[in-house]
Amino acid sequence: MGNMKEKKPSKKPLVYYCILVAVIMMLLNSLVFPMLMEAQIREVGYNEFLKMVDEGSVKQVARNESEGLITFLAVDENGRERVYKTGIWPDEDLRARLEQANVEFAAAIPTQSSPLLTFLLTWILPILIFAALGQFMMRKLQNGGIGPNAMSFGKANAKVYVEAQTGKTFADVAGEDEAKEALSEIVDFLHNPGKYAKIGARLPKGALLVGPPGTGKTLLAKAVAGEAQVPFFSISGSEFVEMFVGMGAAKVRDLFQQANEKAPCIVFIDEIDTIGKKRDGGGLGGNDEREQTLNQLLTEMDGFDGKKGVVILAATNRPDSLDPALLRPGRFDRRIPVELPDLGGREAILRVHAKNVHMANDIDFNAIARATSGASGAELANIVNEAALRAVRMGRDIVEQADLEESVEVVIAGYQRKSAVISEREKQIVAYHEIGHALVAAKQSDSAPVHKITIVPRTSGALGYTMQVEEGEHFLMSREEAFNKLATLTGGRTAEELVFHSATTGASNDIEQATRLARAMVTRYGMSDRFGMVALETVENAYLGGDSSLACSQETAASIDHEVVAMVKEAQDKARKILSENMDALHKLSKYLLEKETITGEEFMQMLHEQA
Ligand code: ADP
Ligand code: MG
Ligand code: ZN
């Protein structure tokens, strides 16, 4: 698996450039130029001059009265001719001495032996150096740091994020069957965009992988690319954040431009919540950059041709913090939940990762999976790795059951506070709670009331849930149905009370929902005997969640509260009666759920009927 992280752009290239230039200037000024000059004219004392004349090393002499100087050309110790100068002294003999030494009397001796060379050295060379340095720095800046806006240079030299072969396939992703199923349509689309285009179908442009950390979202995205064998452009939301102003937007633009050229392909934006957070409008421009990036992303998503075969996948573990604009149709309108694995899933994940290590033949993966309820795929992968490390520490070349058991404790204890690995007792309570809901629902309507019951903790923070689906679409709810629903909502807590004789906090959401429903029945649906068809509340803002306001007197408000309490109590009595009459089924089904962690509605009904 190639690592595609881009090299971090250096944040202060300009500062470095300035410092470098200053240092070079100083060096040139203080060392090189004086040396050059010195090489050209040497100052000597008058007596030294006379000595050189007598020695016969002086060739030419020129008097410069205005400057009070004698410049002369002489051969130095190394036999090279060079220019010397000395002061003028009143000296009667000098002329005779010079003539005797056969020195030529010159009009002037050029003080700089080669003006052209000096010019080159002092002017052209530094300019060349700076220009070259500038070019070099410019290229560096372009690649990483300052963007096109800052330097008004051409297109941002964004990295090509192609990773033609991610090397991952769906076989690498264990469990997560629902997510894989949803993604396999995308794979098919990428394989054969023409098939879809021909019929005029437009596949969702974007799919959002939503789930807790470590459940394999990144892995799934790579597997899609691997399955479809298309290029995979990936960028992480956090990479945008540390960029200079305007760079994030430019990068998004480039990314999509490249993707368009390489279509069919996958663009994967990991951790999209870092750029896709809700825009709050306020603030003092602190989030401008992020907002610009997000806007650019939205624009690009709207702009490109959905039939071309560019699929945008994104992953997040904080879906509720995303800007609603991102979730609009035509953008990330398909949401693929990637939940924590259930028992079967955990076992499968352990097996996938066990393939890469030498394992003893008699490993009981099921036992390990049982002990790790609530663990994510990443944690399970880590458990296998820790077990292998332990085996090495013990001087073995094969992983044994004990290694796995030991590493469960190491890894889970390490993660305990972060993720909800729930205890056996808690699991039991949750199982009874969920079966309580399902049983009350089933006994009231005698149809498969649930689609799926699970005690695998959900992204939402719920420890378990009972997924109910109404048959067909349902716009009207009769009074009986509403009341049954109320009873079903209270079923969870009631089962806990019946079996464990205590209440837990796990029912808070049920209580909230039940209260809201009961209240609406009294105040809006006219379903209470006491008030009948009098609207006591009006919905104010139907689009934004439907705030309602009371439209009645204080006394009525108080009696509404009484009515609501009475109604919920009545519903709970009904639930209690149903559950008491079916205690055997409650125990049996709860035990079964505890074992399997997830059961379908059909399984549930089948067991219920066997029971009867
Ligand atoms: P996420 O992006 O959801 O936080 P990753 O895809 O980065 O999680 O998963 C981290 C690692 O955990 C993966 O590289 C893989 O080794 C392991 N892993 C997670 N889920 C699974 C899975 N369903 N099957 C196999 N391995 C998994
Ligand atoms: Mg990830
Ligand atoms: Zn509940």
Side-chain angles (χ1 to χ4, degrees), residues 56-75:
S57 53
V58 177
K59 301 282 180 236
Q60 291 183 340
V61 173
R63 265 174 83 103
N64 187 338
E65 297 294 344
S66 62
E67 285 182 29
L69 281 178
I70 291 175
T71 44
F72 61 99
L73 199 66
V75 179

Side-chain angles (χ1 to χ4, degrees), residues 348-606:
I349 293 172
L350 286 169
R351 282 183 192 281
V352 162
H353 288 278
K355 268 194 215 133
N356 305 325
V357 282
H358 291 290
M359 289 271 175
N361 290 326
D362 57 347
I363 297 283
D364 184 356
F365 287 108
N366 189 270
I368 305 299
R370 265 168 209 291
T372 49
S373 129
S376 70
E379 283 159 0
L380 293 167
N382 199 9
I383 284 173
V384 173
N385 190 51
E386 283 291 332
L389 291 177
R390 183 173 183 268
V392 173
R393 270 203 301 278
M394 309 295 258
R396 276 182 273 113
D397 54 5
I398 206 155
V399 176
E400 288 172 3
Q401 187 78 16
D403 298 324
L404 281 168
E405 276 161 13
E406 185 68 23
S407 67
V408 166
E409 252 151 64
V410 174
V411 173
I412 297 301
Y415 283 112
Q416 203 121 47
R417 252 171 302 122
K418 265 198 294 171
S419 67
V421 173
I422 39 184
S423 73
E424 203 54 35
R425 158 110 184 146
E426 281 171 323
K427 260 171 81 178
Q428 216 174 5
I429 294 175
V430 176
Y432 273 100
H433 178 105
E434 297 306 330
I435 294 294
H437 284 306
L439 203 53
V440 171
K443 285 291 168 190
Q444 287 180 130
S445 66
D446 199 38
S447 63
V450 292
H451 177 64
K452 188 168 132 184
I453 310 170
T454 177
I455 53 170
V456 178
R458 316 309 287 179
T459 322
S460 61
L463 292 177
Y465 85 145
T466 304
M467 193 168 151
Q468 295 204 48
V469 275
E470 323 289 351
E471 297 117 84
E473 238 174 327
H474 229 68
F475 292 108
L476 289 175
M477 188 158 53
S478 70
R479 187 187 160 152
E480 285 65 43
E481 282 168 328
F483 187 71
N484 285 354
K485 192 167 173 197
L486 210 51
T488 302
L489 282 170
T490 61
R493 160 64 68 85
T494 310
E496 285 182 48
E497 283 175 355
L498 279 174
V499 178
F500 300 98
H501 307 290
S502 73
T504 65
T505 53
S508 66
N509 183 43
D510 297 339
I511 291 171
E512 211 176 287
Q513 278 193 49
T515 313
R516 208 178 314 131
L517 177 61
R519 202 175 172 82
M521 285 170 72
V522 175
T523 61
R524 297 202 339 238
Y525 306 146
M527 286 178 179
S528 69
D529 299 329
R530 178 147 179 196
F531 295 107
M533 274 188 58
V534 177
L536 300 167
E537 251 175 24
T538 43
V539 177
E540 299 236 299
N541 208 333
Y543 284 125
L544 297 176
D547 283 340
S548 49
S549 60
L550 275 181
C552 61
S553 67
Q554 288 272 323
E555 298 89 75
T556 317
S559 44
I560 289 173
D561 290 339
H562 283 131
E563 189 72 11
V564 169
V565 172
M567 201 175 252
V568 174
K569 266 221 157 68
E570 198 187 326
Q572 197 174 6
D573 286 341
K574 186 177 178 193
R576 189 172 294 118
K577 183 158 171 288
I578 292 173
L579 290 177
S580 309
E581 284 166 4
N582 295 281
M583 277 311 261
D584 289 345
L586 179 63
H587 285 305
K588 193 176 149 198
L589 281 160
S590 303
K591 210 165 146 247
Y592 185 65
L593 176 61
L594 196 58
E595 219 166 85
K596 295 264 293 187
E597 294 188 1
T598 303
I599 59 177
T600 63
E602 290 92 74
E603 275 179 282
F604 177 85
M605 284 316 274
Q606 202 185 333

